[in-house]
Amino acid sequence: MKREIIAGNWKMNCTKAETVELIEKLLPLVGDPGKMEVVICVPFTNIDAARKALRGHKSIALGAQNVHWAPKGAFTGEISAEMLKALKVKYVIIGHSERRQYFGETDQSVNARMKAAVAAGLKVIVCVGETLEEREAGKTREVLLRQTSAAFEGIDKSALKQIVIAYEPVWAIGTGKTATPKEANTAAFVIRKALRKQYGRTPAHAMRVQYGGSMNASNVKELMAMPQIDGGLIGGASLKPAEFAKIVHYTEL
Ligand code: PGA
């Protein structure tokens, strides 16, 4: 049985003070998450405050939302894997569709970031997903296979346990539209197919695939019931403590 994982992607939200406030509300609501792995990915500037607010609580792990591929150097505005490690960050999101869409992220840069993060010992949530245009053109499968293979190029089998994949259909992110459980399941199956080709059946099957895109307390149960789905990457709903806690404890809903 794989350990399920619910991760909150706070995106560009909350000041330092608001971060502490939100975490203080969240901790008692999440309580003991049981076997569920819970992560919150906060903006870089709030990592240190979040770490302090989470201190002594094993229930929620800390993540960042991006990482640069170089160890250091002339890359204005960027943050290295070592810098994140030094802040005791455990997870990092890579290749989120908003980065692909607005900040020129490519399959190649996603792969470069993956390599750096994995080498530094960070855990990675790597995002893949098709746009509405691609889905309507019948290209979903092709896009998922391409993005997954590219992201994992040159990544050793031994690093797979550090990596979680998030299937995030771009048309479902922040739109209130959710992929049907069946659509999400099919997409996760296609992602595993790409992994199977590269690493073989057993390692591909052992990897965790999350669904992301307007996941909330009302739809989490049916999405998590899908055999190919092992977790969720939550945007909007992760900023609402009670809602996020419900998602974490979805089996009790
Ligand atoms: P959403 O975002 O839950 O607000 O749709 C998900 C994500 O972008 O990770």
Side-chain angles (χ1 to χ4, degrees), residues 61-122:
L62 188 56
Q65 300 172 12
N66 193 18
V67 64
H68 196 258
W69 53 81
K72 61 173 158 179
F75 299 101
T76 304
E78 294 292 324
I79 302 286
S80 76
E82 284 307 324
M83 293 173 188
L84 296 180
K85 283 293 285 181
L87 288 172
K88 306 246 184 335
V89 164
K90 189 168 175 191
Y91 273 93
V92 63
I93 298 173
I94 293 178
H96 190 277
S97 70
E98 284 150 18
R99 298 226 47 96
R100 295 182 193 253
Q101 220 176 331
Y102 308 130
F103 302 102
E105 194 80 69
T106 64
D107 287 346
Q108 288 66 39
S109 61
V110 167
N111 178 245
R113 291 182 206 274
M114 285 265 280
K115 284 177 178 155
V118 161
L122 287 166

Side-chain angles (χ1 to χ4, degrees), residues 30 32 75 94-95 137 178 182 201 204 219 242:
V30 166
D32 176 4
F75 299 101
I94 293 178
T178 325
K182 201 162 165 265
R201 199 175 183 282
N219 57 32

Side-chain angles (χ1 to χ4, degrees), residues 7-243:
N9 175 9
W10 287 19
K11 307 193 179 181
M12 195 175 73
N13 289 292
C14 295
T15 61
K16 192 172 147 184
E18 288 163 350
T19 298
V20 173
E21 209 177 302
L22 217 154
I23 290 174
E24 281 170 358
K25 282 193 187 134
L26 194 57
L27 280 169
L29 289 167
V30 166
D32 176 4
K35 290 201 184 80
M36 180 67 77
E37 185 170 10
V38 185
V39 187
I40 52 170
C41 300
V42 304
F44 292 132
T45 49
N46 300 334
I47 288 172
D48 208 38
R51 181 178 56 84
K52 286 182 187 133
L54 290 170
R55 192 178 280 156
H57 298 273
K58 290 215 157 64
S59 53
I60 302 178
L62 188 56
Q65 300 172 12
N66 193 18
V67 64
H68 196 258
W69 53 81
K72 61 173 158 179
F75 299 101
T76 304
E78 294 292 324
I79 302 286
S80 76
E82 284 307 324
M83 293 173 188
L84 296 180
K85 283 293 285 181
L87 288 172
K88 306 246 184 335
V89 164
K90 189 168 175 191
Y91 273 93
V92 63
I93 298 173
I94 293 178
H96 190 277
S97 70
E98 284 150 18
R99 298 226 47 96
R100 295 182 193 253
Q101 220 176 331
Y102 308 130
F103 302 102
E105 194 80 69
T106 64
D107 287 346
Q108 288 66 39
S109 61
V110 167
N111 178 245
R113 291 182 206 274
M114 285 265 280
K115 284 177 178 155
V118 161
L122 287 166
K123 291 192 174 221
V124 171
I125 295 174
V126 61
C127 305
V128 297
E130 80 288 358
T131 61
L132 184 59
E133 212 180 10
E134 289 163 340
R135 175 162 283 262
E136 285 175 346
K139 290 190 175 150
T140 300
R141 187 185 158 84
E142 177 190 324
V143 169
L144 294 177
L145 290 174
R146 190 203 73 225
Q147 288 184 346
T148 308
S149 309
F152 282 84
E153 202 187 300
I155 300 286
D156 194 73
K157 197 187 269 190
S158 62
L160 294 183
K161 55 184 178 306
Q162 278 169 258
I163 306 169
V164 178
I165 302 161
Y167 165 60
E168 296 211 308
V170 178
W171 48 272
I173 295 175
T175 57
K177 282 186 205 150
T178 325
T180 64
K182 201 162 165 265
E183 283 169 336
N185 197 61
T186 305
F189 182 79
V190 171
I191 290 164
R192 284 214 170 79
K193 200 176 158 67
L195 296 170
R196 212 161 62 206
K197 198 165 163 221
Q198 191 171 344
Y199 300 104
R201 199 175 183 282
T202 309
H205 199 74
M207 291 207 64
R208 295 180 292 177
V209 179
Q210 296 172 305
Y211 168 77
S214 300
M215 203 188 216
N216 56 42
S218 316
N219 57 32
V220 57
K221 213 167 172 173
E222 50 179 18
L223 285 158
M224 292 298 288
M226 292 292 113
Q228 297 285 333
I229 305 291
D230 311 301
L233 182 55
I234 324 292
S238 72
L239 296 166
K240 301 177 194 153
E243 176 99 10

